[in-house]
Amino acid sequence: MLIKGGRIIDPAQELDGVFDLGITNGVIDRIAEHLEPHAGEEIIDATNCVVAPGFIDMHVHLREPGFPEKETIATGAAAAVAGGFTAVACMPNTNPAIDSPQIVQQILTIAGNAKLARVYPVAAITRARAGAEELDYAALQAAGAVAFSDDGNTVMNAGVLRSAALAAGNVSGCFISHCEDEHIKLDAVMHLGAASEKLGLPGSPAVAEDIIVARDLQIAKNTEKAWHIAHLSTKGSVSLMDWSRSQGVIATCEVAPHHLLFIDESIAELGSRAKVNPPLRERDDAAALRNAVRESKIDVFATDHAPHTAEEKSADISTAAVGFTGLEIAVGAYALAIPDLPLRRFIELLSTNPARVLGVPGGTLKLGTVGDVTIFADRKWIVESGKFYSKGKATPFEAMNLPRRAIATIVGGELKMHEGRVLQ
Ligand code: DOR
């Protein structure tokens, strides 16, 4: 494949300029100002587009095994390439949970057959994600797990978490924390503040997150385990992350687009569509997160793609399912949230850094690396969830005008999405 005439930006090799890029046998093998195609080579015109190392979403829920009515690995992988992602890491809150090498392998087999995005399983930290029993982390990693998390839940017992981190000390995959103290959160359906009081709904305060971020970063320091904090939503988390790193803690963190763009007040208008864990916070939390992105205090842009059925999301906010689909809006939503973010930084957050955090191929266009490429452009479009490849149609971004979109997704040198159409 020859990608012609695009602006190639690859932060890993300080590259930014208009070049052609060639991929042969799934590997990037040529970058130059003008390349002639090999005989029979597929040509992709990238004029007026940016050509970037493939985007990697390190936080998605693909629902298989267990909940195919919400999403399958195949529909989730289609949504990934539709949104410009060449790879995703899928969280273990499936049924059964991803807590055995067999389930890790099962997911890899199904994803391989789907032949769309690369799928990297994140295995659980505790058996059945029940927060009590450690797992064999080396065996899970040998089967293909790239990281460990009980995401969806917090490991509430600090002793269990510390002991698990020590047991996983010889395994390279990081621990990923979902930070919400269940004893503070209780039955909350949104953030606790003026908006929840006005709506008369039970809320969870920001301290429910901050307390676990502080705790887990201390466990990271104490155990020297590589750590990643998922979906920061509070200004307190940003400060705690920053301070911990200044104290030598080896940790990274991510944000999700909804926490940058929506606030607790949005619930009055959006209702169940905007119900998510951790919840949408206050105006100054969202502003602190956006500033943290600008100041390079956030490492990764993730989506927390969490599809549910239409019935589950149309219920009253007290009982509606928590979370919403994100893969197909992320590129545009991030551009909308921080329009002044330099493209180089945008690409670091979506590709260079998640590849490094997970230790997976890609994240660069260096010669000899996998031919995973995302082509995108600053073209306006309107979100129509009915057109999503994901089974999950509920999104707070419905009908919004977004300023950027993925134009083509190339995985291992094969075109998987072009101009919004997924190529099976
Ligand atoms: O809103 C959420 N939904 N947050 C999570 O952490 C889990 C997710 C889900 O699996 O639905």
Side-chain angles (χ1 to χ4, degrees), residues 61 63 93 151-152 178 231 276-277 304 306 308 322-323:
H61 298 269
R63 308 302 192 200
N93 58 342
D151 184 66
H178 176 118
H231 39 51
V276 65
N277 283 340
D304 196 7
H308 294 284
V322 190

Side-chain angles (χ1 to χ4, degrees), residues 182-415:
E182 289 167 13
H183 306 300
I184 297 178
K185 182 184 162 125
L186 300 174
D187 59 353
V189 300
M190 65 180 291
H191 170 73
L192 180 75
S196 66
E197 271 156 41
K198 200 165 157 192
L199 292 169
L201 291 170
S204 179
V207 71
E209 173 168 317
D210 300 350
I211 214 163
I212 300 295
V213 171
R215 184 200 75 169
D216 287 10
L217 290 172
Q218 285 302 303
I219 294 176
K221 185 178 185 189
N222 177 250
T223 60
E224 296 183 4
K225 180 76 194 141
W227 220 281
H228 181 82
I229 305 290
H231 39 51
L232 294 196
S233 75
T234 68
K235 57 180 192 257
S237 296
V238 171
S239 309
L240 286 161
M241 192 71 217
D242 203 28
W243 178 79
S244 301
R245 289 207 265 209
S246 76
Q247 303 295 303
V249 178
I250 303 164
T252 52
C253 65
E254 71 190 30
V255 289
H258 43 273
H259 290 125
L260 306 184
L261 275 164
F262 298 105
I263 56 172
D264 55 351
E265 289 170 20
S266 321
I267 295 277
E269 182 197 334
L270 298 170
S272 307
R273 264 201 288 153
K275 184 179 179 189
V276 65
N277 283 340
L280 304 176
R281 302 288 184 185
E282 297 182 18
R283 197 172 300 279
D284 58 347
D285 292 300
L289 293 172
R290 292 194 301 269
N291 281 336
V293 171
R294 291 192 186 93
E295 293 165 2
S296 299
K297 292 176 179 167
I298 305 292
D299 303 283
V300 170
F301 277 165
T303 67
D304 196 7
H305 176 80
H308 294 284
T309 65
E311 296 74 46
E312 289 166 329
K313 284 305 283 183
S314 60
D316 178 80
I317 189 152
S318 316
T319 52
V322 190
F324 38 76
T325 182
L327 281 163
E328 291 166 84
I329 53 87
V331 165
Y334 276 122
L336 179 69
I338 313 179
D340 55 330
L341 192 68
L343 284 176
R344 181 207 153 98
R345 189 78 196 107
F346 182 80
I347 293 164
E348 273 175 359
L349 286 151
L350 281 162
S351 180
T352 326
N353 294 351
R356 178 172 48 82
V357 172
L358 295 177
V360 298
T364 177
L365 299 172
K366 283 184 186 152
L367 299 187
T369 60
V370 286
D372 290 6
V373 180
T374 298
I375 303 177
F376 66 91
D378 282 348
R379 286 194 207 157
K380 287 194 170 65
W381 63 288
I382 292 172
V383 178
E384 289 174 76
S385 61
K387 293 189 176 163
F388 284 173
Y389 281 86
S390 171
K391 288 190 180 184
K393 309 295 182 195
T395 167
F397 292 92
E398 184 70 54
M400 278 176 72
N401 205 321
L402 301 183
R404 181 172 295 161
R405 71 180 307 169
I407 303 296
T409 309
I410 294 149
V411 182
E414 289 180 15
L415 188 62

Side-chain angles (χ1 to χ4, degrees), residues 93-110:
N93 58 342
T94 48
N95 187 18
I98 309 178
D99 64 359
S100 70
Q102 291 71 22
I103 308 246
V104 171
Q105 280 156 358
Q106 185 189 333
I107 289 167
L108 289 172
T109 302
I110 298 170

